[in-house]
């Protein structure tokens, strides 16, 4: 279906308007979003995406509507996975909490620009070379297999570009608000804010290599690919603050994403066989194979992600992981949070630390062993108890 030019223009203006609104009314003034604020705006952006999809369904028909929702859900799931990496980068560069919004908005804008370029390049290539579906399909299946292999976690965000920037340019380890360049000892130097934006931008390019072939596996309509990708990125900043601390509880997310990407990869290969023009496959003729419909794709994707989340949250492994993760988070909060004389809040946090320790003691032996092997957890609990002892001693001294 050919999309009228005025629809394209209105859509692009609307998306740019949303980004401008996000910057001027939320990000321009540095602050840390509250949980209610993040929840409200996450819901608003998801609502806008759904309303847009309903519009596509009404005016474009059930096929385009199904393709949009399948693409949007897939891209949204991939963007949630991307937040894991953003968390690592933010932690590695020790970005001040209040300034993280600007970094995230930059990442979203850069991702939108980069992926738009990939989208139009991919559409042009596909229209000229249908055999690219074989490559896209194989790449997604390879990515799915890679996701199934456990990788060592690392807090090192110093990739090649960052190391090169530090070597070629004068940099400082100190932040100066949200400035990209500051003056130190009378000389201009790059701040970590610029370096973290470079890290986020480079990461976005890598993410596009997965996400664009994935959505082209669900639809070849450039308008649907663009809008589903754009709306999946809208609200990603708010989602970051909403589920920060909850992301690591989705322990089976990588398996769910592997299943989704593998499924779309197979769908692409089947489509490539159906449209085959390669002379060494079936003599260059189309291969009569089963093609997966968009409706079936949507059901499979939603089903996989639903099962993934439920297993992560409610399976014995998921519940154990949640307890261990929250014990570490509460201990960190008790150690680092500035309670400003709020003894009730401090006592509440410490009580949660003790409660999580009791819950860990009640876990199955294999999960207790996992908690015991967690060096970061052990260090945080030890420091929390030591700090508690110091505070108790100071309190008695005052009395």
């Amino acid at each position: 279906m050919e999309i009228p030019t005025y629809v394209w223009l209105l859509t692009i203006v609307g998306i740019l308007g949303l980004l401008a609104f996000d910057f001027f009314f939320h990000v321009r003034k540095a602050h840390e979003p509250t949980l209610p604020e993040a929840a409200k705006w996450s819901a608003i952006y998801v609502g806008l995406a759904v309303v847009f999809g309903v519009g596509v369904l009404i005016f474009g028909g059930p096929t385009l509507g199904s393709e949009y929702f399948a693409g949007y859900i897939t891209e949204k799931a991939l963007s949630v996975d991307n937040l894991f990496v953003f968390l690592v980068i933010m932690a590695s560069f020790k970005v001040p909490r209040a300034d993280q919004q600007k970094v995230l908005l930059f990442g979203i804008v850069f991702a939108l620009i980069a992926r738009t370029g990939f989208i139009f390049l991919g559409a042009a290539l596909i229209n000229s070379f249908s055999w690219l579906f074989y490559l896209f399909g194989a790449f997604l299946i390879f990515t799915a297999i890679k996701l199934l292999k456990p990788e060592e976690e690392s807090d090192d965000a110093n990739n090649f570009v960052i190391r090169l920037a530090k070597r070629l340019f004068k940099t400082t380890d100190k932040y100066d608000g949200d400035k990209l360049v500051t003056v130190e000892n009378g000389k201009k130097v790059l701040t970590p804010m610029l370096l973290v934006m470079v890290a986020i931008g480079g990461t976005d390019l890598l993410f596009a290599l997965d996400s664009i072939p994935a959505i082209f596996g669900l639809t070849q309509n450039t308008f649907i690919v663009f809008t589903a990708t754009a709306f999946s990125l809208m609200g990603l900043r708010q989602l970051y603050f909403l589920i920060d601390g909850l992301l690591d509880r989705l322990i089976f997310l990588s398996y769910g994403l592997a299943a989704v990407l593998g499924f779309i990869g197979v769908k692409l290969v089947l489509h490539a066989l159906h449209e085959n023009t390669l002379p060494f496959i079936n003599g260059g003729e189309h291969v009569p194979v089963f093609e997966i419909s968009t409706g079936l794709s949507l059901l499979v994707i939603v089903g996989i992600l639903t099962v993934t989340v439920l297993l992560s949250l409610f399976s014995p492994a998921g519940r154990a992981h949640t307890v261990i993760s929250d014990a570490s988070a509460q201990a960190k909060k008790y150690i680092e949070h500035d309670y400003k004389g709020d003894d009730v809040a401090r006592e509440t946090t410490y009580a949660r630390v003790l409660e999580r320790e009791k819950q860990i003691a009640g876990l199955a032996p294999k999960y207790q062993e996992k908690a015991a092997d967690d060096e970061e957890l052990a260090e945080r609990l030890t420091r929390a108890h030591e700090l508690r002892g110091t505070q108790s001693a100071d309190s008695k001294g005052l009395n």
Side-chain angles (χ1 to χ4, degrees):
M1 177 181 176
E2 192 69 26
I3 305 298
T5 303
Y6 73 89
V7 174
W8 269 101
L9 291 175
L10 288 175
T11 302
I12 292 171
V13 169
I15 290 170
L16 292 176
L18 287 173
L19 289 171
F21 174 84
D22 208 19
F23 175 76
F24 286 106
F25 290 92
H26 293 112
V27 176
R28 193 176 184 181
K29 184 179 180 181
H31 74 286
E32 180 181 345
T34 62
L35 191 62
E37 178 187 345
K40 180 180 75 174
W41 285 102
S42 291
I44 287 173
Y45 279 111
V46 170
L48 288 173
V50 171
V51 169
F52 184 86
V54 171
V56 173
L57 194 66
I58 294 171
F59 297 104
T63 299
L64 280 186
S66 298
E67 288 178 352
Y68 168 82
F69 280 111
Y72 172 74
I73 292 170
T74 300
E75 293 297 300
K76 199 68 175 178
L78 289 170
S79 68
V80 169
D81 189 46
N82 297 350
L83 290 181
F84 281 104
V85 182
F86 288 169
L87 282 169
V88 171
I89 292 174
M90 296 288 193
S92 177
F93 282 97
K94 296 180 175 62
V95 181
R97 188 77 170 170
D99 293 320
Q100 289 182 4
Q101 292 199 95
K102 285 188 174 69
V103 177
L104 288 167
L105 186 60
F106 165 80
I108 290 168
V109 172
F110 187 87
L112 188 56
I113 294 171
R115 295 183 192 196
T116 299
F118 276 116
I119 286 167
F120 286 101
L121 177 63
L125 289 172
I126 285 171
N127 289 333
S128 303
F129 309 102
S130 60
W131 52 265
L132 280 172
F133 284 116
Y134 285 114
L135 294 182
F136 280 2
F139 179 75
L140 289 181
I141 293 171
F142 169 75
T143 304
I145 294 171
K146 232 180 130 187
L147 279 172
L148 295 175
K149 294 181 179 179
E151 295 182 2
E152 292 185 3
E153 292 185 2
S154 172
D155 286 340
D156 184 15
N158 289 324
N159 57 35
F160 171 75
V161 177
I162 296 300
R163 291 196 299 271
L164 185 64
K166 286 182 175 180
R167 185 174 298 175
L168 296 179
F169 304 102
K170 294 178 180 178
T171 63
T172 177
D173 294 329
K174 296 179 181 178
Y175 285 91
D176 185 8
D178 60 357
K179 293 180 180 178
L180 305 181
V181 180
T182 189
V183 176
E184 189 174 74
N185 298 325
K187 297 180 180 179
K188 287 187 176 182
V189 292
L190 303 181
T191 70
M193 183 62 71
L194 179 60
L195 297 180
V196 73
M197 286 186 174
V198 172
I200 292 285
T203 304
D204 280 330
L205 286 175
L206 295 177
F207 289 154
L209 295 177
D210 290 342
S211 66
I212 299 307
I215 195 169
F216 268 117
L218 298 168
T219 177
Q220 284 82 60
N221 187 296
T222 309
F223 180 77
I224 297 300
V225 173
F226 171 74
T227 52
T229 301
F231 277 106
S232 74
L233 293 171
M234 296 288 110
L236 193 60
R237 177 183 63 80
Q238 292 85 352
L239 189 64
Y240 173 91
F241 290 99
L242 178 62
I243 64 179
D244 181 14
L246 300 177
L247 274 176
D248 60 348
R249 298 182 187 182
L250 301 178
I251 59 175
F252 298 119
L253 181 61
S254 61
Y255 296 103
L257 290 175
V260 169
L261 292 179
F263 169 76
I264 298 174
V266 170
K267 183 179 187 292
L268 273 172
V269 172
L270 290 174
H271 181 71
L273 288 169
H274 188 269
E275 302 292 326
N276 178 61
T277 56
L278 296 178
F280 52 85
I281 297 178
N282 198 35
E285 298 294 325
H286 301 337
V287 181
V289 293
F290 172 74
E291 280 215 88
I292 301 170
S293 67
T294 303
L296 179 59
S297 297
L298 181 58
L299 287 174
V300 170
I301 292 167
V302 171
I304 290 173
L305 295 176
T306 301
V307 170
T308 298
V309 172
L310 292 177
L311 282 176
S312 294
L313 297 178
F314 300 111
S315 67
R319 288 198 298 269
H321 185 84
T322 297
V323 170
I324 295 170
S325 174
D326 197 48
S328 183
Q330 294 299 333
K332 180 182 180 183
K333 181 179 178 181
Y334 184 76
I335 297 165
E336 298 180 356
H337 191 67
D338 183 7
Y339 291 97
K340 297 180 180 179
D342 189 348
D343 293 334
V344 174
R346 182 186 288 111
E347 290 297 318
T348 300
T349 304
Y350 188 71
R352 287 174 182 162
V353 173
L354 296 178
E355 179 63 26
R356 295 299 177 266
E357 283 188 296
K358 289 180 181 178
Q359 290 176 346
I360 290 173
L363 295 174
K366 64 179 180 179
Y367 300 125
Q368 289 186 37
E369 185 178 342
K370 180 181 178 182
D373 292 337
D374 190 330
E375 294 180 1
E376 184 178 59
L377 171 63
E379 181 184 350
R380 285 179 178 177
L381 290 174
T382 299
R383 289 178 61 194
H385 293 316
E386 288 175 349
L387 181 60
R388 170 68 172 181
T390 303
Q391 290 170 342
S392 298
D394 291 343
S395 178
K396 288 178 181 178
L398 290 174
N399 294 329

